[in-house]
Amino acid sequence: MRRALLFAAAVAAAPLLSSAPVTAQEARSTADFTAPAQTFGRVSFDARSLMIDGKRLVIWSSEMHPFRLPSPELWRDILQKMKASGFNTVAFYFDWGYHSPKQGVYDFTGIRDLDRLLRMSAEEGLYVIVRPGPYANAELTRGGFPGWLVNQRAPSRTDSPEYLAAADEWLTQVNAIIARHQINGDGRGNQGSVILYQIENELAATTPAHRRYMDHLYAKARADGINVPIFHNDQGRNGYWTPEDSPVDKVVPGPVDLYAFDGYPGGTCTVQGRTTRGAAAPDWGFYGPGGAKGGASASPATPGFMAEIGGGWFDYWGSNGGYECNAVQRGERFQRVFYGVNLANGISLQSIYVGFGGTSWGWLAAPVVFTSYDYGAAISETRELRPKAEEMKQLAGLIASVPDLAGMVPAGVPAISSPNIQVYHNRSPETDARFLLVTHKPSNGQTNDQFTVTADLPDGRYVMPMTLNGFDAKWLVAGVDLAGQRLVYSTSELQAVLPASRHDVLLMYGRAGEPGETVLRFAAQPDITVLEGDVRSTFDAASGDLKLDYEHVGLSRVRISGGGRPDLLLLIGEEKEAARFWRQGDVLVRGPALLRHAGTERGRLLLTGDTRESTPLELWSAAPASSVRWNGAVVATRATASGSLEALTPLAGPAAFALPVLSDWRVAPESPEARLEFDDHDWQTIDNRAYASNTLRPDGQPNMLMDAYGFHEGDVWYRGRFEGGPEAETINLFYGAGGAGMAQVFLDGVFVGQHELPSGIPRPITTGVAAFDLPEAARTPGPHVVSVMVRNNGHNWNLDANDFHKEARGLVSVSVAPRVGPGFAVPISWKIQGRAGGEDFADTLRGVPNNGGLFGERHGWHLPEFKDGDWRPGMVGEPLQPGVTWYRTRFDLDVPAGQDASIGLAFGDTDTPRSDRAYRVLIFVNGWHMGQFIANVGPQRVFSLPEHILNHRGRNSIALVVSTDGAPGNVLEDVRLVTLRNVRGGVDVTTRAQAQ
Ligand code: GAL
């Protein structure tokens, strides 16, 4: 009843970009700043912000997926990089299917150890937002539902009892872990840093059955001891599942404490890998369609909360490779403009989706995506901080430096001398601190403008001369106390405030070459010493204003003393120069590629981090340091005129190292299932078991779907016996195989043909029909066997709550029949085989995503310990039989100690997204299935292999499972190891340094 038609349109377009904002009529004209705070133990909130222990803070969060990095040791690396980039919170999806191979069976060990993940997050000083589903989406196969749920006929994501019972299994397990790590504790002495809990994800179906489902999830979480606020993530700001008492019309109330939504604004990368700059940054809060100063939230009594704001985008089978494009598209200046406009609109909780994407290894991926889930994110799949992470760090620096930013409200429109410019002017009701976001009007404007902004600020009326060149936004801070100083205003941006041992330090920055001015207030004229750079100053005795004029060039340093305030060192950098600074705890460090930790122990300052090359080190610390260590080694320093310590010699960079050439391949043909005489006595017989799929099939056919037989991932084989005869002229298949899936057909061991599903962007084509002529032999009387291998490249997600994840996988129906005429279909009796053990597989180390049902996989050919001594020596590039061929070799790595590298595997010409050779490779490294390369589909040709999967200091094994139709030229291209990143540092070093 409450749902308008326009909502339906928004849902159909999902998950792309943003949906229609709530209109003026739908929104209350002002946010409800008087709404009383709601308290959940140590976490509370009102209309303006979240509070922890009663203290307001901006929740500045970055998302990662533990299941997309199967090296738990490296989770810490990502968490440290997020923390170092200034995030105070990390968000996690948990993938139900990753933990549950079989109904009733759950595994939280090893790579699935969520206890460890949540402990690490707290150790690294990050708050946590958990998103355990049960439905996640996240470009996961089945959107995170377990394989066995595909066989459940009851509609998922509703209150059907069978589905609720299944979901409760998972929630009971995962909630027990989460509960122990809540910031409020679990009442049994356990405590961690989880502050928020999400139920469901983008549930845009809002019938009573869905409402009852949501009620159930809320009640279940509470019954399981979840005591932090609960929210849902709306697919765009539709107003689905807002708190019950929302006064806004046409929203869908639900069992949530907080309303949250997601959005992916800012344009897209095209299939050609080019960017289209999208619309301006949406006003999803104060400045939205409710009018200036008006609130436009779907939930005015709760703070603006984006549970996902696009930090990149995923990429599709068959694209031209969009990750670098996404890194740029949602890259330089994007976060300043889009995240800035969000903040200005009162969205005081923002979580970047994703901060680190990682790898959809094994069979984790939904049909839309290939192996790499790099996402163009701030932290690349190879764990490199991309340039845009610097921009995020600078924004985060502002957020951390001025806590008043949390809970700001609109403050009135200043006078602007240019029609090309708009200024969002906010204030803190408590301190009157001002925050002005200066951007183009509209914010995607590209012009170069010089103008003035005139505003009544706490310390008076000021005319601020400004420059805004191209797509950009700047946050100005005014009328605020910073350490012992009073900042009247600055046209430079604020990155860090440090009350250091000898004086306060302020770090400001601006775009290279642009002018800036900073005004500070004093009781009397202070002494100014320009230590470095060209900075001019004037003092106005009447107001006490000290005005500094300069250009942002390199790093200027100004010492200011006297004037009735503590001494101050003002650092004014051009943007890139300021980005070389890291703030951890009470230490400000300049130089290295990463500062992971700064701690003090008996007066010694212990720093850990990474260097990409030989790097000078300079630091300021709040407490005086008797000595300095970097990654455990003593660093000789000297004091500088800037009150800092400077290393006498630069920190060493990483040493180069060589990678071995992959050679000495051992080769074995596979696909024995194709042969007539193959022994399939232990295969399951295809029968008429219950059919739960929503894919229609011809009447009277048995249930051939792989899932019905307990095979949910990867490859599955069928063997059909029939009596030869004149009718056996053609074979027709209807099958489901996910994005870029395929089927191979054999008759009595002879290859008949291969069919590949075309990749569709953005909607992959996931089922298909194939028809082949059968060889003459099929018409010979006697027993014949048709063997079919289907490669399942993932089950669909269930984004629209329509059970799309139950679409057929494997064969749906097959007929062997005459080429023309009425004829009749030849009776066939079928058997099926898939992953060894089905849902009861043995390899619990690697778990659900690792294996399908290839003969070699079933017999451990992918495992490092497998003895391939009797395989024949072979060469990359030699002709291949139709079907599957295995290549195996071993190699040693010797990455220098104390270095963190990312090593990958590259195929053929990495400058092109695909080649004219048609073949596919499953990549097994030390038994781990780290990706699928499809040469003729692309675009991924380089596969990142995380350390710990790869042994960086010792022996490794690799197995390449190549499938092809055997046509000339469809052969394995050049395969080689490549170094994708190399730094001195890394988490192991950190652990050692901390342990000393
Ligand atoms: C969102 C969804 C996420 C993910 C994202 C695109 O709409 O909530 O799970 O699918 O889109 O990467």
Side-chain angles (χ1 to χ4, degrees), residues 271-288:
V271 181
Q272 285 72 35
R274 284 195 294 273
T275 62
T276 55
R277 182 66 70 199
D283 287 315
W284 274 321
F286 299 152
Y287 299 94

Side-chain angles (χ1 to χ4, degrees), residues 15 93 136-139 201-202 233 262 264 308 313-314 353 373 375 797:
Y93 268 135
N137 207 55
E139 291 70 72
N201 186 68
E202 297 192 330
N233 170 34
D262 63 23
Y264 290 79
E308 294 175 22
W313 191 245
F314 57 81
Y353 188 97
Y373 197 71
Y375 217 83
W797 57 25

Side-chain angles (χ1 to χ4, degrees), residues 64-318:
M64 71 164 286
H65 299 150
F67 43 87
R68 284 192 162 111
L69 181 56
S71 301
E73 296 77 8
L74 296 183
W75 294 342
R76 194 183 290 281
D77 179 56
I78 303 301
L79 296 172
Q80 290 185 349
K81 282 172 178 159
M82 287 177 172
K83 184 78 199 318
S85 304
F87 290 98
N88 55 24
T89 305
V90 57
F92 299 123
Y93 268 135
F94 297 145
D95 173 357
W96 176 5
Y98 193 64
H99 297 270
S100 182
K102 182 181 183 179
Q103 183 150 24
V105 178
Y106 287 84
D107 189 336
F108 294 91
T109 63
I111 58 168
R112 296 164 297 272
D113 188 347
L114 300 185
D115 219 54
R116 186 176 178 190
L117 175 80
L118 294 173
R119 208 168 42 240
M120 259 187 208
S121 307
E123 283 165 5
E124 295 304 331
L126 289 163
Y127 296 120
V128 178
I129 301 174
V130 288
R131 314 204 299 151
Y135 184 73
N137 207 55
E139 291 70 72
L140 284 167
T141 184
R142 304 173 290 266
F145 279 156
W148 53 266
L149 199 70
V150 171
N151 292 328
Q152 186 177 88
R153 281 186 71 89
S156 67
R157 306 179 79 186
T158 71
D159 67 341
S160 74
E162 300 94 308
Y163 170 72
L164 288 187
D168 281 359
E169 269 188 14
W170 158 245
L171 292 172
T172 299
Q173 299 271 343
V174 76
N175 285 347
I177 298 170
I178 295 167
R180 295 200 281 276
H181 294 274
Q182 297 175 100
I183 192 167
N184 295 327
D186 65 352
R188 297 193 190 94
N190 302 304
Q191 197 182 8
S193 60
V194 172
I195 54 168
L196 293 168
Y197 178 104
Q198 181 182 317
I199 48 173
E200 255 288 343
N201 186 68
E202 297 192 330
L203 183 63
T206 56
T207 70
H210 295 100
R211 168 66 206 240
R212 290 191 296 272
Y213 166 47
M214 290 291 281
D215 287 342
H216 178 92
L217 295 180
Y218 188 95
K220 173 72 178 151
R222 292 290 179 228
D224 287 345
I226 300 302
N227 54 29
V228 294
I230 291 177
F231 69 97
H232 164 265
N233 170 34
D234 189 0
Q235 189 179 82
R237 210 192 51 185
N238 300 299
Y240 297 158
W241 313 121
T242 63
E244 286 289 358
D245 51 4
S246 173
V248 178
D249 287 343
K250 292 188 185 163
V251 298
V252 178
V256 292
D257 305 312
L258 283 165
Y259 171 70
F261 66 98
D262 63 23
Y264 290 79
T268 48
C269 290
T270 65
V271 181
Q272 285 72 35
R274 284 195 294 273
T275 62
T276 55
R277 182 66 70 199
D283 287 315
W284 274 321
F286 299 152
Y287 299 94
K293 294 191 194 174
S297 171
S299 175
T302 62
F305 182 2
M306 292 199 72
E308 294 175 22
I309 169 74
W313 191 245
F314 57 81
D315 199 9
Y316 311 83
W317 282 119

Side-chain angles (χ1 to χ4, degrees), residues 309-368:
I309 169 74
W313 191 245
F314 57 81
D315 199 9
Y316 311 83
W317 282 119
S319 86
N320 285 340
Y323 285 140
E324 286 312 319
C325 165
N326 270 296
V328 173
Q329 172 70 14
R330 290 192 173 85
E332 206 181 358
R333 310 278 187 253
F334 168 85
Q335 29 269 313
R336 296 195 188 281
V337 175
F338 282 78
Y339 306 161
V341 168
N342 281 345
L343 271 176
N345 271 279
I347 298 176
S348 58
L349 296 91
Q350 283 192 70
S351 192
I352 315 292
Y353 188 97
V354 286
F356 169 74
T359 308
S360 300
W361 62 280
W363 299 106
L364 270 182
V368 274

Side-chain angles (χ1 to χ4, degrees), residues 758-826:
S759 40
I761 301 174
R763 287 228 155 206
I765 295 161
T766 48
T767 62
V769 290
F772 304 100
D773 286 341
L774 284 173
E776 190 58 44
R779 289 173 291 281
T780 317
H784 294 278
V785 170
V786 58
S787 303
V788 182
M789 183 195 94
V790 179
R791 170 152 300 171
N792 171 20
N793 276 348
H795 288 74
N796 299 340
W797 57 25
N798 187 19
L799 184 65
D800 299 331
N802 56 4
D803 277 4
F804 199 37
H805 65 292
K806 296 178 188 168
E807 187 187 68
R809 288 296 180 269
L811 292 176
V812 184
S813 62
V814 185
S815 65
V816 168
R819 195 169 290 120
V820 286
F824 70 97
V826 175

Side-chain angles (χ1 to χ4, degrees), residues 353-385:
Y353 188 97
V354 286
F356 169 74
T359 308
S360 300
W361 62 280
W363 299 106
L364 270 182
V368 274
V369 291
F370 49 88
T371 302
S372 171
Y373 197 71
D374 175 275
Y375 217 83
I379 306 173
S380 72
E381 187 185 18
T382 61
R383 297 183 289 111
E384 176 82 58
L385 281 170

